């Protein structure tokens, strides 16, 4: 097992300001370290339920499901594919795989949203199903922007850290991450929003928008996830809640992330505007109205479009 030294924390100009610092929660428990996989900790054996949201990613799905079911060294107990009313036959691909491959048949469950509920809508549906029943819940995407098995194993290995984390987030911007095949425009946008989110929130987070995670379900269960947006801003909001919760220990592992070759790409500019609006709303409630982080996030999500 290789324990990589924690990388330098991201620059936190917002934290230096005394006015903001007074209102920050004490977060000695964030960024406990970085562990890269060599084996699955005992507690996670057959204990991880993976949510895979899908929308028109039929060509990539067989490899993703195969990796999660066969190559995760027994960590994965079940895979919940939540299809968002795909029009490319994604659910049929899942059903065919479940018949062809008995392991996939025994491990995968398919939930079909009757209509497109939005990205966040799918994750909320998955959390609502799993947060009180499964010991650990993971979110992995279906478009192969990361290697599904390696990512789950890296996140699982981080549960061997001391103190043991409640939530592990896979970060594209942590030392050891690889983003060489990820478009420069998206990388720059991510860097901007990471800095913006850190400045507005005062929280240490290296990848404010990551949606790839593995958590104790008790940590998910304490989040007001139902009240977050059903759109793409779901994870930026959830991450604010996670890092802003002084009761949770959070660890980050480096993520290898590339551009997707399948699926529907949303407009970067449109998303940037929606995200900026949400973050400014958050800052208004947090810094001007001095509301606790959780309340500020929920208030920001209620003022945000889907
Ligand atoms: N574009 C899109 N993706 C969705 C939707 N619902 C679920 N997904 C899945 O959510 C994951 C992330 O979406 P994606 O558009 O790739 O966003 P990214 O986080 O920027 O990579 C992919 O696996 C999609 O198949 C949806 O309504 N639209
Ligand atoms: Mg994607």
């Amino acid at each position: 097992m290789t324990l990589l030294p924690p990388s330098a924390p991201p620059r936190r100009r917002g934290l230096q300001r005394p006015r903001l610092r007074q209102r920050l929660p004490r977060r000695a428990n964030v960024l406990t370290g970085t562990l890269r996989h060599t084996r699955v900790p005992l507690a996670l054996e057959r204990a991880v339920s993976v949510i895979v949201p899908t929308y028109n990613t039929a060509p990539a799905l067989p490899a993703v499901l195969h990796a999660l079911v066969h190559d995760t060294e027994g960590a994965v107990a079940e895979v919940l594919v939540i299809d968002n009313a795909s029009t490319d036959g994604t659910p049929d691909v899942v059903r065919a795989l479940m018949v062809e491959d008995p392991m996939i048949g025994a491990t995968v469950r398919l939930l079909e949203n009757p209509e497109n509920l939005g990205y966040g809508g799918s994750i909320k549906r998955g959390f609502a199903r799993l947060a009180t029943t499964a010991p650990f819940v993971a979110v992995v995407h279906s478009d192969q922007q990361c290697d599904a098995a390696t990512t789950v194993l890296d996140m699982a290995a981080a549960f061997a850290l001391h103190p043991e984390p409640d939530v592990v987030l896979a970060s594209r911007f942590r030392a050891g991450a690889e983003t060489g095949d990820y478009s420069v425009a998206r990388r720059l946008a991510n860097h901007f929003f990471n800095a913006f989110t850190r400045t507005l929130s005062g929280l240490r987070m290296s990848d404010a928008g990551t949606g790839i995670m593995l958590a104790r379900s008790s940590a998910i269960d304490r989040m007001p996830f139902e009240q977050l947006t059903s759109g793409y801003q779901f994870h930026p909001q959830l991450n604010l809640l996670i890092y802003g919760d002084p009761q949770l220990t959070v660890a980050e592992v480096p993520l290898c992330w590339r551009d997707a070759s399948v699926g529907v790409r949303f407009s970067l500019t449109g998303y940037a505007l929606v995200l900026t609006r949400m973050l400014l709303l958050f800052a208004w409630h947090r810094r001007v109205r001095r509301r606790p982080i959780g309340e500020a996030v929920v208030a920001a999500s209620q003022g945000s479009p889907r």
Side-chain angles (χ1 to χ4, degrees):
M1 196 168 283
T2 327
L3 185 59
L4 302 177
S7 61
R11 285 194 299 141
R12 292 173 292 141
R13 281 183 51 216
L15 270 178
Q16 313 308 324
R17 291 184 208 148
R19 221 167 61 78
L20 179 58
R21 183 156 38 185
Q22 285 165 8
R23 300 201 298 275
L24 283 176
R26 290 186 180 279
R27 296 313 318 273
N29 54 349
V30 177
L31 305 181
T32 45
T34 302
L35 206 58
R36 269 247 145 119
H37 167 72
T38 51
R39 69 183 156 83
V40 173
L42 213 60
L44 279 88
E45 281 179 16
R46 301 232 8 106
V48 180
S49 295
V50 186
I51 295 169
V52 180
T54 58
Y55 181 66
N56 289 353
T57 50
L61 207 49
V64 172
L65 294 184
H66 190 278
L68 289 173
V69 168
H70 292 286
D71 301 335
T72 48
E73 300 176 20
V76 170
E78 63 177 333
V79 178
L80 192 56
V81 175
I82 307 185
D83 188 69
N84 228 346
S86 288
T87 53
D88 71 341
T90 294
D92 295 332
V93 169
V94 179
R95 278 189 281 269
L97 282 168
M98 289 170 72
V99 173
E100 274 165 32
D101 183 327
M103 273 275 275
I104 290 184
T107 314
V108 172
R109 279 193 292 155
L110 172 65
L111 283 188
E112 288 179 79
N113 295 338
E115 61 190 73
N116 190 304
L117 301 180
Y119 171 84
S122 279
I123 306 295
K124 286 195 240 182
R125 196 172 175 202
F127 281 174
R129 277 275 174 127
L130 298 172
T132 51
T133 53
F136 293 88
V137 177
V139 176
V140 172
H141 290 174
S142 60
D143 54 0
Q144 281 191 306
Q145 286 192 259
C146 65
D147 181 86
T150 309
T151 306
V152 166
L153 290 172
D154 282 348
M155 293 193 294
F159 281 88
L161 287 165
H162 299 286
E164 205 175 296
D166 300 294
V167 182
V168 176
L169 293 161
S171 164
R172 294 162 291 187
F173 306 104
R174 175 114 192 145
E178 281 170 36
T179 54
D181 294 326
Y182 184 40
S183 83
V184 175
R186 283 175 192 274
R187 245 185 288 164
L188 286 175
N190 285 134
H191 280 299
F192 171 77
F193 280 108
N194 288 341
F196 194 41
T197 308
R198 283 195 295 262
T199 304
L200 293 180
S201 68
L203 297 169
R204 293 173 74 185
M205 51 215 301
S206 71
D207 191 348
T210 184
I212 310 299
M213 59 184 295
L214 172 52
R216 244 171 240 299
S217 32
S218 54
I220 299 297
D221 198 35
R222 56 187 277 121
M223 300 283 150
F225 60 83
E226 298 279 12
Q227 296 177 61
L228 302 185
T229 172
S230 291
Y232 278 113
Q233 304 156 74
F234 179 84
H235 283 295
Q237 291 171 354
L238 183 71
N239 293 342
L240 283 167
L241 290 176
I242 288 170
Y243 285 90
D245 185 336
Q247 302 301 316
L248 294 182
T249 299
V250 184
E252 297 179 348
V253 294
L255 176 64
C256 300
W257 193 251
R258 56 190 168 246
D259 283 326
S261 55
V262 293
V264 185
R265 300 315 313 244
F266 52 83
S267 143
L268 197 54
T269 323
Y271 182 59
L273 288 174
V274 169
L275 191 54
T276 302
R277 186 172 178 275
M278 187 279 286
L279 289 170
L280 290 175
L281 263 175
F282 164 77
W284 162 260
H285 288 289
R286 175 85 183 116
R287 300 181 68 163
V288 181
R289 304 194 63 201
R290 298 178 174 248
R291 293 167 75 172
I293 287 188
E295 280 181 30
V297 172
V298 169
S301 69
Q302 281 160 2
S304 299
R306 193 186 109 177

